[in-house]
Amino acid sequence: MEEPGLGGEEASTATKAVIFIAGASLLVVAAIMTLVATRVMGFVMRLASSGSEPKAGAKGKKGAAAVPPPEQPQAQHHAKHQGPDLKTLIKQSKKQAAGPKGPKEEHAVHHHLFINGLPGHGDAVHSLSWSIDGTKIVTACEDMNVRVYSLGSDVSNRDPKFKRIACNRTPIGAGFADARCETVSAVMRGIPDTVMSLFVPGSGKPEVLPSGQVKKIDGADVAIAWTAENVHGREAVLVARGIAPSEHQLTGRRPGLVVSLSTKKDCRVYSVQGNELATLEIASLGNHDLAVSIDGRFISVACFTSEVKIWEVKCDKNTGVVTGVYKAMELKGHKKKVMSVALSHDNKRAVTVSQDGTLRVWNIDVRYALAEDPKTVLTIAMPLSGGRCYQRLAMGPGGIIAASVDGLVHLLDGTNGSLLDAIPDAHDGGVSELHWCPTKLRLPGVAEPVAVLATCGRDKRVRLWRAPL
């Protein structure tokens, strides 16, 4: 008889618990509804007070004393501190994406070595190249355009003329392909293949498509003479250089070249006629930099190893026809991987930087055909803090060295390694490339011709600097 009684007590306890939980839930729901109702009423009152402001203003004009509603100061305070609307944010984002417009900010650089800026780029500038006489510069930009600037005899001209060549892919490197600078070679980044093209002056007539539509010529009137696809297979291009043909009394005729270095495996050499001349096997886990002498005789690659390889492009001195590309020498001495390399304009010196913390200048004017090795003529510790290493190098007239890391550019004496000058903020976001003009140029107010350095960066800028006097 006790078991039924126990079951009844358990059922009664469970019922009480259910009733208690249900009551508590009702109280919580009621509290939430009260809070929501209070918020809604407050919002309605604020709307009503804001809607009554014009009426109060109208009464004030008739002479009645208009007393602002009590909610008005709070509404004004809220409007004062609320963020911009969606339309304003869209305008601001477009303005930031477009970047600074016009030449004013280009000329706002107050460094004493600054000469000029080349305007017109819509995105990061990957590379640049001088003409042999220093009157023109060609650039390759992320905005899928190659630009050719005509500087003439005055590189300080604030409004230089330029032509724009629209590309169907992003150009990584560009260079002049003839002595008159009328043709331009470009190496473009594909997904993932690499494409190489030669742009030549067009006919001046719009192209008529098969559909009958007229294809408008955008920018410069150009046509594509030839295109080479899948230059590096499925590997991306890292650095590319274009070299114009030249002729000298001592060296004879030199051919024009287009040289492209992949991110890991190889380096491809083409003629400006579109013929593949050589494939240079780097045998490295990763490539870092490419240097080509201004006459196209030497090609050097800095890679994952501590050695730097240099190849020679041999050709017939009378015709300029390439007879072969051969490995000439190696620069051995660094203890860690080499990050950048540059060659002097006279082909007698090379400069390298390594993660071992040193910068080395080499004598490469040796009889390498007789197994004579290049020698180190200068070794200095890089004047950088925090164990940083230079990322880009350029060797100019008189042996002056330009070296960059991030947005900083150092100008060094190539004979003793002393720091001649520094440009702390040459570019925002880092320097992509820097190259000295092959010849010294005259500047207004300067008695003697000076060496001129061109730099480009991810800040959409191309800037010109003079060497220290």
Side-chain angles (χ1 to χ4, degrees):
M1 299 296 295
E2 292 180 354
E3 292 181 359
L6 291 172
E9 291 180 1
E10 291 175 357
S12 176
T13 303
T15 302
K16 291 178 180 180
V18 171
I19 295 174
F20 177 79
I21 294 173
S25 301
L26 289 174
L27 290 176
V28 171
V29 172
I32 294 174
M33 293 180 64
T34 303
L35 179 61
V36 172
T38 303
R39 295 289 180 89
V40 172
M41 289 298 295
F43 179 76
V44 172
M45 292 178 65
R46 285 195 295 272
L47 289 178
S49 62
S50 62
S52 63
E53 287 180 3
K55 296 179 180 180
K59 291 181 180 180
K61 292 180 181 179
K62 293 180 180 180
V67 180
E71 292 290 334
Q72 186 176 7
Q74 182 179 357
Q76 290 179 350
H77 178 77
H78 176 71
K80 183 178 180 180
H81 292 280
Q82 68 181 359
D85 57 10
L86 180 60
K87 186 176 181 179
T88 303
L89 290 174
I90 293 175
K91 288 183 178 180
Q92 290 177 353
S93 63
K94 288 183 177 180
K95 186 176 181 180
Q96 292 176 357
K101 296 182 179 180
K104 291 185 178 180
E105 293 199 20
E106 281 285 352
H107 307 142
V109 181
H110 299 295
H111 195 278
H112 61 281
L113 299 181
F114 177 75
I115 300 175
N116 200 3
L118 305 183
H121 297 92
D123 211 322
V125 185
H126 294 298
S127 68
L128 60 88
S129 180
W130 288 89
S131 63
I132 294 295
D133 60 1
T135 61
K136 292 186 178 182
I137 287 180
V138 58
T139 65
C141 185
E142 180 70 22
D143 63 6
M144 299 178 69
N145 285 278
V146 169
R147 292 172 175 83
V148 179
Y149 290 83
S150 298
L151 306 178
S153 58
D154 184 12
V155 294
S156 63
N157 179 16
R158 299 301 193 191
D159 189 21
K161 296 181 179 180
F162 69 92
K163 296 181 179 180
R164 185 165 57 90
I165 302 174
C167 305
N168 57 0
R169 303 194 185 191
T170 303
I172 300 299
F176 295 107
D178 69 315
R180 299 178 62 182
C181 303
E182 294 181 346
T183 59
V184 173
S185 62
V187 179
M188 295 165 283
R189 181 181 63 214
I191 306 175
D193 61 318
T194 298
V195 176
M196 190 181 292
S197 294
L198 183 72
F199 297 95
V200 299
S203 62
K205 298 180 181 179
E207 179 184 354
V208 180
L209 301 178
S211 60
Q213 297 178 345
V214 176
K215 180 181 179 182
K216 295 182 180 180
I217 300 176
D218 187 14
D221 177 16
V222 296
I224 298 177
W226 56 264
T227 296
E229 299 182 348
N230 296 316
V231 175
H232 297 293
R234 299 186 63 83
E235 193 172 347
V237 56
L238 177 67
V239 188
R241 301 274 186 265
I243 304 296
S246 60
E247 187 171 358
H248 194 272
Q249 292 181 352
L250 298 178
T251 59
R253 292 186 177 181
R254 299 293 310 180
L257 302 175
V258 186
V259 186
S260 180
L261 179 68
S262 70
T263 54
K264 292 182 180 180
K265 294 181 180 180
D266 58 22
C267 180
R268 298 294 180 96
V269 184
Y270 281 72
S271 69
V272 291
Q273 289 78 28
N275 302 317
E276 184 175 358
L277 302 176
T279 298
L280 310 181
E281 298 295 338
I282 311 300
S284 170
L285 297 176
N287 298 323
H288 296 150
D289 198 10
L290 168 70
V292 184
S293 60
I294 59 174
D295 62 355
R297 180 184 175 189
F298 291 117
I299 299 172
S300 181
V301 174
C303 58
F304 188 79
T305 64
S306 59
E307 294 85 20
V308 174
K309 300 178 178 65
I310 299 179
W311 289 264
E312 182 184 12
V313 180
K314 293 187 177 183
C315 63
D316 187 289
K317 292 184 178 181
N318 296 321
T319 63
V321 176
V322 175
T323 58
V325 181
Y326 306 96
K327 184 177 177 180
M329 64 189 90
E330 288 188 0
L331 308 181
K332 297 181 179 180
H334 284 295
K335 297 179 181 179
K336 292 185 179 180
K337 57 185 177 181
V338 178
M339 302 305 296
S340 185
V341 60
L343 302 172
S344 65
H345 291 172
D346 59 5
N347 291 335
K348 294 182 178 181
R349 292 287 188 268
V351 58
T352 58
V353 289
S354 167
Q355 284 194 340
D356 62 11
T358 64
L359 176 147
R360 288 175 177 253
V361 178
W362 308 78
N363 175 25
I364 61 173
D365 187 20
V366 296
R367 296 173 296 180
Y368 49 85
L370 301 177
E372 186 176 347
D373 295 326
K375 299 293 189 295
T376 301
V377 296
L378 176 67
T379 302
I380 65 168
M382 284 180 280
L384 299 172
S385 60
R388 294 186 298 169
C389 178
Y390 291 127
Q391 299 163 336
R392 292 290 179 264
L393 292 171
M395 210 166 191
I400 187 172
I401 299 171
S404 70
V405 55
D406 299 329
L408 169 68
V409 174
H410 278 172
L411 302 179
L412 306 167
D413 189 323
T415 58
N416 56 29
S418 61
L419 181 61
L420 301 176
D421 216 321
I423 309 173
D425 299 305
H427 290 274
D428 295 331
V431 176
S432 302
E433 274 195 4
L434 66 172
H435 292 286
W436 291 98
C437 180
T439 59
K440 291 185 176 182
L441 303 176
R442 290 193 174 275
L443 299 177
V446 182
E448 298 295 329
V450 298
V452 176
L453 176 72
T455 63
C456 61
R458 291 186 285 273
D459 57 357
K460 313 176 187 179
R461 303 297 191 202
V462 175
R463 290 185 168 126
L464 306 181
W465 318 83
R466 66 168 176 83
L469 299 177

